[in-house]
Amino acid sequence: MTKPDSVAVGPLPVGSVAPEFELRDQNNRRVTLSTLREKGDVLIVFFPLAFTGTCEGELGYIRDNLPKFDDTTLTTVAVSVGPPPTHKVWSSAQGYLFPILSDFWPHGGVASEYGVLDTDRGYANRGTFLVARDGTVRFSDMVGPGEARTVDTWDEALSLRS
């Protein structure tokens, strides 16, 4: 018997309805997609794990360019399977001022709904989704383990804002 491929089959396609979620941020506050969408578009950035070089670099890019990623009509959130206390320490150390959400329990449940969970490794691949205010996915991309998002990925996602 062959083992099924554990890597996510692929991210939600453009045009899909984004699954609703309620997760806790690094300050243990509840965050829902529907509440975020009240402001406007939402960029959802799945990342594998805190305290890793590639993840720090990607989220550091968001931090260093925050006006592009958080304004009156866009909110960016990062999502990982790590627990809120870990995200609190990491975000404080790195100066991340945007929400870092915990997909801890059920473990990877939201990542799974978005099609980016690697079940063998127990964490999300790097999925990037732009969700419009109406709840539809306008941008969808995923890179596998060991790969990093490029500046072109960020630029393409942000170019599709409402």
Side-chain angles (χ1 to χ4, degrees):
M1 179 181 197
T2 58
K3 183 177 177 186
D5 188 0
S6 70
V7 177
V9 294
L12 279 175
V14 169
S16 299
V17 174
E20 176 61 33
F21 59 75
E22 179 180 303
L23 299 172
R24 294 201 178 261
D25 71 6
Q26 68 266 39
N27 298 307
N28 209 33
R29 292 182 297 226
R30 291 179 182 186
V31 176
T32 65
L33 179 58
S34 56
T35 300
L36 295 171
R37 287 187 12 243
E38 289 174 6
K39 175 181 173 184
D41 294 340
V42 181
L43 185 67
I44 304 171
V45 178
F46 287 91
F47 67 97
L49 297 167
F51 296 102
T52 59
T54 301
C55 297
E56 284 184 10
E58 289 182 333
L59 293 164
Y61 181 82
I62 294 171
R63 176 199 60 218
D64 296 346
N65 295 279
L66 198 55
K68 286 173 48 173
F69 291 91
D70 189 5
D71 61 28
T72 58
T73 62
L74 175 69
T75 301
T76 296
V77 296
V79 182
S80 169
V81 298
T86 298
H87 291 162
K88 176 75 171 177
V89 171
W90 189 52
S91 64
S92 293
Q94 295 298 318
Y96 301 144
L97 302 177
F98 49 91
I100 310 289
L101 305 180
S102 174
D103 191 14
F104 186 74
W105 194 257
H107 189 79
V110 175
S112 181
E113 289 183 16
Y114 278 76
V116 297
L117 182 67
D118 182 326
T119 55
D120 269 358
R121 291 181 174 94
Y123 54 72
N125 288 302
R126 290 179 177 86
T128 309
F129 300 91
L130 180 67
V131 178
R133 183 177 225 151
D134 69 2
T136 59
V137 175
R138 292 187 144 208
F139 178 84
S140 174
D141 185 66
M142 180 182 78
V143 294
E147 297 178 64
R149 281 171 269 244
T150 65
V151 172
D152 291 341
T153 302
W154 302 122
D155 290 345
E156 185 179 351
L158 295 176
S159 75
L160 297 171
R161 293 176 55 188
S162 299

